Amino acid sequence: DHVSQPKYHVVGCRGSPPPPRLVPLDSMLFLLLLVCATRAAAASNCTAASQQQALRNIFSAWDGSGWRKPENWLDSSLECEDPATGIQLPAHCCWHGIKCCISRTCSEGQRPDVDRCGCEPGLVWEIDLDSCNLAGDFSSMDHNAFACELSGLRLSNNNLRGPIGQGFTVYRKLSWIDLQGNYLSGTLPRGIGKMSSLWLLFLSGNSLEGTVPPDICGNNTQLFSLALDHNKFSGRLDLSACTKLSYFVAKANNFSEVFHAGNAALPGLRAVFLEENGLHRPLPFDIFINYLPNLEQLALHKNRLTGTLPVMSMYSLKIVVLADNYFVGPVPESWAIMARPGLLVAVEFNYLSCCGTNPLSPEKLLMANGTLRIDDVYDGVDYSAPLLPPSLELSDELEPVLAHPRQSYKAKGMRCPKLKLAGQQEGPLSTLDWYMDPSYYMFVKCQCEEGLHLVNLTKPGRLPYFECQALQLDTSDDRESWEEAYPWAIVIIVVVGCFLLITMLLGLYLYKGTEVVQKLNNLKKRMHGLPTSGPFTAVVTDIQGWTALCAEHPELSSKVLSIHNSILRKARWNNFGSTHETEGDSYTMVFYEAKDAVAFCLQAQQMLSMQQWPSLREANSEEQSTHLMSSFENPVSELVRKKSCSNNSFAILNPLSISRRMKHHSTTSASSTCLDVRVRMGLASGFLVPGESLHGHPTIDLAKEVSDTAAGGQILMEGSTFSAIKDVLGELGTVDAQGMHLDRLRMRRVFSWPAFFLCRFIAPPSAASEDAVVLDMGTYTKSRPDQEQKQTRPAPNSSFPARSSRSFLLTPLSPKLSLTGYAQKSASPEELHLYQVLSAAGAERAKGWGSNLRLKSRLSLKDSLSKGYFDAPGTLAAPLGISKSPADASLPLVTTVFASVEQARVFSSKDMRQVERGLLACASKCLDQVQGDGYLCRVFGNLKLMLCFSKPEAALAWSCAMQECMMAQAWPRAALKEPFKEKRDQHGNLIFRGPRLRIGISQGRPKSIQPDHLGRADYHGDCVNSAARFMEGAAQGGMIVCEQDVAMRAAEAWAATQPSAQPEQAIGTPLHTVQSNWSPFQSLSSSYLQVQQQKQQK
């Protein structure tokens, strides 16, 4: 194909041409063919179509969807016309940041690098995507596609990463490059100097490293500006070939040497900025004469340059900054030629001196690292030397001396004169902007601020040295004392002392005062005995399997009961309780406060678990005796020491090894087997009316009922008791076998503030991990004797009712609908809300019991929303209590669902309560349709629910059923007005009615599952956050949003349960005609079912 090439013109150079060199004709033909072939290959890649595809690849590789200005990108049908010339251009020429060539030739007065002429029309001429949030690998850009005509490339202030790469050097006409403000790494590619058209190269603010290649400027270089600052370049920098370089910036790198004797002159260089590098060698004395003759700006501060200042023989300089180095000696006299107003000269923070002799060597100065005084640097002084260079003198105008971390003197409080031209009057035309340490001119004319005076600290034979120090008070008898001079100071001291004393006493009261008050209250409770009126908490204990133990081993029962009674009496005494009645192995105890009752149970259970119980061998031996552990100082070490019952004693240290009922084992060898005695405990709280007896009180009966529900070793309590102790779980977490230790809690609170400030450096232990653990075990209803016993779980084969039959949703709502996990409301007398409490160290044993309770026949689960903690997916695999790495547990996959009512804020508080009851009724009914799967985690105050399912198909089925149920619910009038009015489609089918739900679904492995402050399962992780984001940011009213994988897994699960002929018939079927064994979400799995059916037919 014919490809038009731009015309190139040969321009002659001034001067006499060199003699012609004869070349053989065959060699010339071969080179000509090679050049033509190379250009033809390059031109074949540089077409409008290939460049548009390369731009599309850039958009895909650099996260184009996240760009700040992706206008018109990827629109190939865009009509693009140059507004100046009216030339029709390809579509990509009008994409943001893209400019294309418009003319093959340049008319008179036009420039190819400005007017986009002299190049092939329609090819990319400039790419400018500055600050567009580009993110990706820089090497993914196809440079060959733009190599022919690209003149400018600006990709600055983005997030591009990776190396620049050798392919970057293929550009033939590229004149300026701006890649600063990215994250480019690696080294500079060799061959940049071959880009003869390049005149500007900006690479600042990246992570480039290595040495700068010496051929960065080629033979025909046009490089004018070079910026390499804020990178990681190191080594020696050679710019000898950059003859046309005018602007050079290399700040904040690690160069060791730039100007050295081997450098060629750079007459075009006007500005050099090399501050904050590692330059540590002396500057060439003739740097301003031979190397940089036309320099205007020079910045070399904050380096480690040594030696003396170079000779000055130029008038072009405007800024010279050599501060914060290690220069020594005087300022050369030749610097006086720069003495003019408007010139900035900064040589401060060095070791320069007008008159010092024999300075230290550069090695010693660098080793001292700026800790030397000026009189320690020089070992002598020459008073005959001039203070300042010629034409300079000290003015009478003083200015404060700036302090610096590395300074050869103390500048605090010192004011020293400025420099001015000699022989001229004071004024702005004579004052110079020269900044020099006052130690250079031996502190002449320097003064101190008010309250300080100049002190001469000169050492013999050294440079003069002065400091500003405070005036010392004369303590002679003829002067008045400070008490007489400042009587008001005594008043201030007394007031401050009293304030500190009061503060200390208040802090002591807050730290120890509450403990004293608590001890007085405990003493009062112990003296009063059984309560006669007011609130109280009853505890009922019972030994599991006691009847069987008495029947099989009567000789051991008395010993076991004696130990059991001693432990309970000790725990009751420590927690200020009273025994109401005893019946065999059962105790009924009464406490004034629920906290004391729970502390009694926690202490007693830990003492029982650490106790060494009699072994079965003792039943046949009268010589052995069992005794109560008198000390619980180190029960674990005591168990390790005693080997007689090791097999069964150490079982209590592993909560997962605890059996569900008490067992005993016969001896089969020389080793004995110990009994496993476990006590169940139940708590209930109530109110005692004055004059009312405790015998037959409903609270006592309720505690017995709760105790009968528990298993051996388990502590259960009803809802009112939990309400009383839910705010003191931190105090209950300090209970061990010796009792409650509030001092641990106080120490934790004392160190809470330091931990708050140190949390950025040290991760403090979570205080919640040491609290007592409370688990919600569910809400149960008591059926009346004349009522039929109800199912605790919905029947697995219950059918989903038709849309036309919505009577089951129109049942009247209870005005006191109780929801576990949302708010603690007063429970009905016919309801029993159970909680389990455990110590943090022994919380793992709760997994042994799980959600199993010893429920009586008249107790049944209230509804699907009232499930217990271990009914939630994954709770048996998640760690409980104190765990160093809860995220290490292999938690199963769960499906999280967030559902909220759209525009819930339009409801009043009264209407919101009614809508909430309807929402919870729908949620409960729909959970019955998913065969028991699904757990309500939390209900938020703005009509928002969070649920968790073990299977994605159950989550999607519940969500679809929920959308149907919301349209059938009996809502208040406010929920049927705008924007919740009834809407139908063109066929008359109901599509919206009442509040609309936004539902987001996500499946994943949670990072942790822990009980929240109400004992409900609380999930944390990316899947939870994703479901919430889907609901808030993607879903609208009546919409369900989930990942594609979740939808396909659910479709696959539903398809696996269907007959081969039913999927074709079910696809597109209305929801009310679908049977119970087919999911209501038919349209989602239609394509998958068709593929599966084709595979079965083959």
Side-chain angles (χ1 to χ4, degrees):
D1 298 335
H2 173 70
V3 179
S4 59
Q5 295 289 340
K7 298 180 180 180
Y8 295 91
H9 302 276
V10 179
V11 180
C13 299
R14 291 180 297 177
S16 58
R21 182 178 180 183
L22 299 180
V23 182
L25 183 60
D26 54 351
S27 300
M28 294 179 59
L29 291 175
F30 174 75
L31 292 175
L32 181 61
L33 291 175
L34 181 61
V35 171
C36 293
T38 304
R39 291 191 174 183
S44 63
N45 292 332
C46 289
T47 62
S50 63
Q51 289 185 350
Q52 187 175 113
Q53 183 60 40
L55 292 175
R56 290 177 177 272
N57 296 338
I58 289 176
F59 188 86
S60 176
W62 291 352
D63 191 16
S65 60
W67 290 6
R68 289 193 176 92
K69 297 180 180 179
E71 291 88 350
N72 301 328
W73 272 76
L74 307 184
D75 187 1
S76 58
S77 62
L78 184 66
E79 294 184 0
C80 183
E81 181 178 344
D82 183 64
T85 61
I87 299 177
Q88 192 70 24
L89 299 173
H92 62 267
C93 295
C94 290
W95 293 355
H96 173 74
I98 305 300
K99 293 182 180 180
C100 296
C101 298
I102 59 176
S103 175
R104 289 189 178 90
T105 60
C106 295
S107 59
E108 184 178 357
Q110 288 185 332
R111 293 173 52 186
D113 57 343
V114 177
D115 300 311
R116 295 188 286 168
C117 61
C119 53
E120 183 67 25
L123 296 184
V124 176
W125 179 79
E126 179 185 293
I127 299 177
D128 187 356
L129 296 176
D130 174 58
S131 303
C132 288
N133 198 28
L134 312 182
D137 192 349
F138 179 77
S139 60
S140 59
M141 179 179 178
D142 185 6
H143 301 291
N144 292 320
F146 309 100
C148 54
E149 302 294 351
L150 189 65
S151 176
L153 178 63
R154 178 182 285 115
L155 303 175
S156 55
N157 302 316
N158 287 292
N159 296 316
L160 299 178
R161 302 177 182 273
I164 296 179
Q166 285 296 132
F168 188 70
T169 61
V170 300
Y171 295 100
R172 300 200 302 265
K173 296 184 178 181
L174 192 60
S175 58
W176 56 271
I177 303 171
D178 187 357
L179 300 178
Q180 59 185 346
N182 284 283
Y183 299 93
L184 301 178
S185 58
T187 59
L188 280 179
R190 294 186 176 275
I192 291 184
K194 298 179 181 179
M195 302 168 66
S196 58
S197 299
L198 185 64
W199 62 273
L200 185 146
L201 179 60
F202 285 173
L203 300 175
S204 306
N206 285 283
S207 298
L208 300 173
E209 56 188 4
T211 59
V212 176
D215 58 346
I216 190 172
C217 297
N219 296 329
N220 299 322
T221 181
Q222 302 292 330
L223 191 60
F224 180 81
S225 297
L226 177 62
L228 305 176
D229 55 296
H230 293 90
N231 280 284
K232 300 178 181 178
F233 292 115
S234 58
R236 183 177 178 181
L237 179 62
D238 188 2
L239 300 176
S240 300
C242 301
T243 57
K244 296 186 179 181
L245 186 64
S246 177
Y247 178 85
F248 175 60
V249 182
K251 177 182 177 181
N253 282 283
N254 297 314
F255 291 117
S256 59
E257 187 178 6
V258 177
F259 304 110
H260 47 85
N263 276 3
L266 298 175
L269 198 57
R270 297 293 188 272
V272 176
F273 300 93
L274 285 168
E275 63 268 30
E276 299 182 30
N277 273 278
L279 305 178
H280 58 273
R281 295 187 179 181
L283 291 177
F285 74 96
D286 55 349
I287 181 175
F288 298 117
I289 301 175
N290 297 328
Y291 300 125
L292 306 173
N294 299 315
L295 191 66
E296 296 179 358
Q297 300 179 23
L298 176 64
L300 296 175
H301 56 284
K302 295 185 180 180
N303 281 288
R304 299 171 65 84
L305 296 173
T306 58
T308 60
L309 295 179
V311 178
M312 182 66 61
S313 63
M314 55 194 305
Y315 194 76
S316 60
L317 275 174
K318 298 178 181 179
I319 297 176
V320 179
V321 183
L322 301 178
D324 202 354
N325 281 286
Y326 292 83
F327 290 112
V328 294
V331 176
E333 296 182 357
S334 58
W335 282 54
I337 65 174
M338 297 189 302
R340 65 184 184 275
L343 171 66
L344 174 63
V345 176
V347 291
E348 55 195 346
F349 313 135
N350 282 284
Y351 292 108
L352 299 174
S353 176
C354 66
C355 309
T357 59
N358 300 324
L360 293 177
S361 63
E363 293 78 10
K364 293 183 179 180
L365 285 176
L366 294 175
M367 289 179 59
N369 197 20
T371 60
L372 297 175
R373 283 186 2 178
I374 188 66
D375 54 348
D376 293 331
V377 176
Y378 300 89
D379 62 357
V381 57
D382 181 11
Y383 289 101
S384 62
L387 288 178
L388 296 172
S391 304
L392 300 180
E393 66 180 13
L394 299 175
S395 67
D396 296 332
E397 182 182 357
L398 303 181
E399 62 179 356
V401 180
L402 298 178
H404 191 268
R406 189 181 63 81
Q407 211 162 22
S408 60
Y409 60 96
K410 289 186 178 181
K412 182 178 179 181
M414 187 175 294
R415 299 174 61 86
C416 292
K418 293 183 177 181
L419 271 65
K420 73 180 188 68
L421 294 175
Q424 296 188 13
Q425 296 181 354
E426 299 281 348
L429 297 179
S430 61
T431 304
L432 303 177
D433 293 330
W434 284 48
Y435 296 95
M436 189 180 299
D437 294 329
S439 59
Y440 177 84
Y441 46 84
M442 298 185 296
F443 304 96
V444 174
K445 290 189 177 183
C446 288
Q447 299 179 8
C448 295
E449 295 179 354
E450 185 178 358
L452 303 175
H453 72 290
L454 200 63
V455 179
N456 188 355
L457 301 178
T458 305
K459 300 177 182 178
R462 297 297 181 95
L463 283 172
Y465 183 79
F466 295 85
E467 288 183 4
C468 289
Q469 297 182 0
L471 295 172
Q472 297 182 358
L473 295 177
D474 191 357
T475 59
S476 58
D477 295 339
D478 56 347
R479 291 180 174 269
E480 60 180 357
S481 62
W482 70 271
E483 296 92 344
E484 298 176 354
Y486 307 102
W488 47 267
I490 300 178
V491 179
I492 294 178
I493 293 175
V494 172
V495 172
V496 172
C498 294
F499 175 76
L500 294 177
L501 181 61
I502 294 174
T503 304
M504 183 178 63
L505 294 176
L506 181 60
L508 183 62
Y509 170 76
L510 293 177
Y511 183 73
K512 282 291 186 179
T514 54
E515 180 182 359
V516 174
V517 174
Q518 184 64 35
K519 287 184 177 181
L520 292 177
N521 292 334
N522 294 338
L523 182 60
K524 183 178 179 181
K525 290 183 289 187
R526 183 171 292 168
M527 293 175 60
H528 285 179
L530 289 172
T532 56
S533 62
F536 72 98
T537 301
V539 179
V540 177
T541 67
D542 185 21
I543 300 179
Q544 178 178 290
W546 174 251
T547 304
L549 177 63
C550 293
E552 297 181 11
H553 302 286
E555 65 281 358
L556 294 180
S557 60
S558 60
K559 298 180 180 180
V560 171
L561 185 61
S562 176
I563 299 174
H564 165 265
N565 295 345
S566 299
I567 290 177
L568 292 190
R569 284 194 295 267
K570 179 178 177 62
R572 182 209 64 194
W573 175 262
N574 289 344
N575 295 281
F576 319 104
S578 302
T579 301
H580 171 58
E581 61 181 359
T582 59
E583 183 180 354
D585 64 312
S586 177
Y587 269 76
T588 301
M589 300 182 183
V590 180
F591 297 82
Y592 283 92
E593 296 182 10
K595 180 182 71 173
D596 297 334
V598 176
F600 157 77
C601 297
L602 292 174
Q603 181 183 358
Q605 289 290 7
Q606 295 183 69
M607 294 172 67
L608 290 168
S609 64
M610 294 179 180
Q611 174 61 38
Q612 179 183 350
W613 296 98
S615 62
L616 296 180
R617 175 178 296 182
E618 297 182 22
N620 301 322
S621 176
E622 299 180 357
E623 298 178 358
Q624 298 179 354
S625 62
T626 305
H627 61 279
L628 175 67
M629 291 176 61
S630 59
S631 174
F632 292 89
E633 294 180 357
N634 195 353
V636 177
S637 62
E638 186 71 14
L639 290 175
V640 174
R641 185 178 59 83
K642 298 183 178 182
K643 300 293 185 178
S644 60
C645 298
S646 60
N647 294 337
N648 199 26
S649 298
F650 283 105
I652 66 175
L653 299 179
N654 185 4
L656 298 180
S657 67
I658 299 179
S659 60
R660 296 188 179 275
R661 61 186 182 89
M662 186 179 70
K663 299 180 181 179
H664 63 277
H665 306 277
S666 60
T667 34
T668 58
S669 62
S671 64
S672 61
T673 304
C674 294
L675 294 176
D676 189 6
V677 178
R678 304 187 183 177
V679 179
R680 49 177 171 257
M681 299 180 180
L683 297 90
S685 298
F687 191 86
L688 187 63
V689 179
E692 187 179 8
S693 175
L694 284 173
H695 293 282
H697 196 277
T699 303
I700 303 294
D701 298 336
L702 181 59
K704 293 180 180 179
E705 186 176 6
V706 174
S707 176
D708 294 339
T709 308
Q714 196 174 22
I715 306 173
L716 293 183
M717 56 185 171
E718 46 79 41
S720 59
T721 306
F722 169 73
S723 299
I725 61 101
K726 65 180 181 179
D727 296 329
V728 293
L729 296 180
E731 299 180 20
L732 295 175
T734 64
V735 177
D736 58 9
Q738 298 177 358
M740 184 180 296
H741 302 275
L742 294 178
D743 53 339
R744 301 176 185 173
L745 185 64
R746 287 196 301 270
M747 293 302 297
R748 189 195 310 170
R749 291 173 179 172
V750 167
F751 289 105
S752 61
W753 281 107
F756 174 77
F757 291 105
L758 294 176
C759 62
R760 295 188 178 184
F761 310 100
I762 303 174
S766 176
S769 63
E770 301 178 9
D771 295 350
V773 179
V774 175
L775 305 177
D776 188 347
M777 302 303 292
T779 304
Y780 303 88
T781 57
K782 305 176 184 178
S783 60
R784 298 177 182 176
D786 56 345
Q787 290 181 343
E788 185 179 358
Q789 184 178 2
K790 300 180 180 180
Q791 296 284 343
T792 59
R793 306 283 182 183
N797 295 326
S798 58
S799 61
F800 188 82
R803 177 180 294 190
S804 59
S805 175
R806 297 180 178 177
S807 59
F808 76 97
L809 296 174
L810 302 178
T811 56
L813 298 175
S814 172
K816 292 185 178 180
L817 182 64
S818 175
L819 174 66
T820 55
Y822 169 57
Q824 195 65 25
K825 302 177 181 179
S826 57
S828 171
E830 301 299 325
E831 293 181 359
L832 180 61
H833 196 167
L834 295 178
Y835 294 88
Q836 181 181 185
V837 60
L838 306 101
S839 63
E844 285 290 332
R845 66 172 60 196
K847 297 180 181 178
W849 300 305
S851 59
N852 298 322
L853 297 175
R854 302 172 67 250
L855 297 175
K856 295 183 178 180
S857 58
R858 69 189 189 96
L859 289 177
S860 60
L861 189 66
K862 178 183 176 182
D863 51 37
S864 299
L865 303 180
S866 305
K867 298 177 182 179
Y869 176 82
F870 288 108
D871 291 323
T875 49
L876 290 175
L880 276 172
I882 300 176
S883 179
K884 295 182 179 179
S885 54
D888 294 343
S890 57
L891 301 180
L893 291 174
V894 298
T895 305
T896 308
V897 178
F898 273 84
S900 69
V901 174
E902 189 178 38
Q903 300 184 10
R905 296 181 178 179
V906 302
F907 294 116
S908 63
S909 58
K910 178 180 178 181
D911 295 333
M912 186 170 291
R913 288 192 295 268
Q914 295 180 359
V915 173
E916 181 181 314
R917 290 198 295 268
L919 178 65
L920 296 179
C922 288
S924 176
K925 291 291 184 180
C926 294
L927 281 179
D928 295 339
Q929 311 303 319
V930 293
Q931 302 182 4
D933 191 3
Y935 177 82
L936 181 63
C937 302
R938 185 178 299 181
V939 177
F940 302 90
N942 52 353
L943 301 181
K944 182 165 64 175
L945 308 179
M946 174 185 172
L947 297 93
C948 194
F949 296 82
S950 60
K951 300 178 182 178
E953 58 268 22
L956 285 172
W958 179 87
S959 302
C960 295
M962 194 68 182
Q963 297 287 12
E964 294 285 320
C965 182
M966 293 291 288
M967 292 191 295
Q969 181 63 38
W971 300 109
R973 292 183 179 181
L976 296 176
K977 298 179 181 179
E978 285 294 342
F980 310 111
K981 292 184 64 176
E982 179 179 313
K983 293 185 180 180
R984 297 179 180 271
D985 60 8
Q986 58 183 356
H987 303 292
N989 298 323
L990 182 66
I991 56 176
F992 288 116
R993 178 184 175 273
R996 304 177 188 177
L997 279 185
R998 302 179 299 169
I999 300 179
I1001 305 175
S1002 179
Q1003 186 184 29
R1005 200 177 306 276
K1007 291 184 178 179
S1008 66
I1009 307 176
Q1010 289 291 331
D1012 61 5
H1013 64 290
L1014 294 177
R1016 304 290 293 176
D1018 193 11
Y1019 294 78
H1020 298 276
D1022 295 337
C1023 60
V1024 180
N1025 300 334
S1026 298
R1029 285 194 292 266
F1030 292 164
M1031 179 200 68
E1032 295 289 349
Q1036 299 182 13
M1039 185 183 295
I1040 305 171
V1041 177
C1042 66
E1043 298 108 331
Q1044 181 179 1
D1045 295 340
V1046 174
M1048 295 310 299
R1049 290 193 193 101
E1052 183 179 353
W1054 292 334
T1057 61
Q1058 304 309 310
S1060 59
Q1062 189 172 356
E1064 292 182 354
Q1065 303 172 0
I1067 296 176
T1069 306
L1071 183 61
H1072 65 275
T1073 61
V1074 181
Q1075 301 299 326
S1076 62
N1077 58 351
W1078 179 244
S1079 168
F1081 202 14
Q1082 298 291 346
S1083 60
L1084 180 65
S1085 56
S1086 58
S1087 60
Y1088 177 82
L1089 296 176
Q1090 293 175 1
V1091 174
Q1092 289 296 106
Q1093 185 178 5
Q1094 293 176 2
K1095 289 183 178 180
Q1096 292 176 1
Q1097 291 175 357
K1098 291 182 180 180

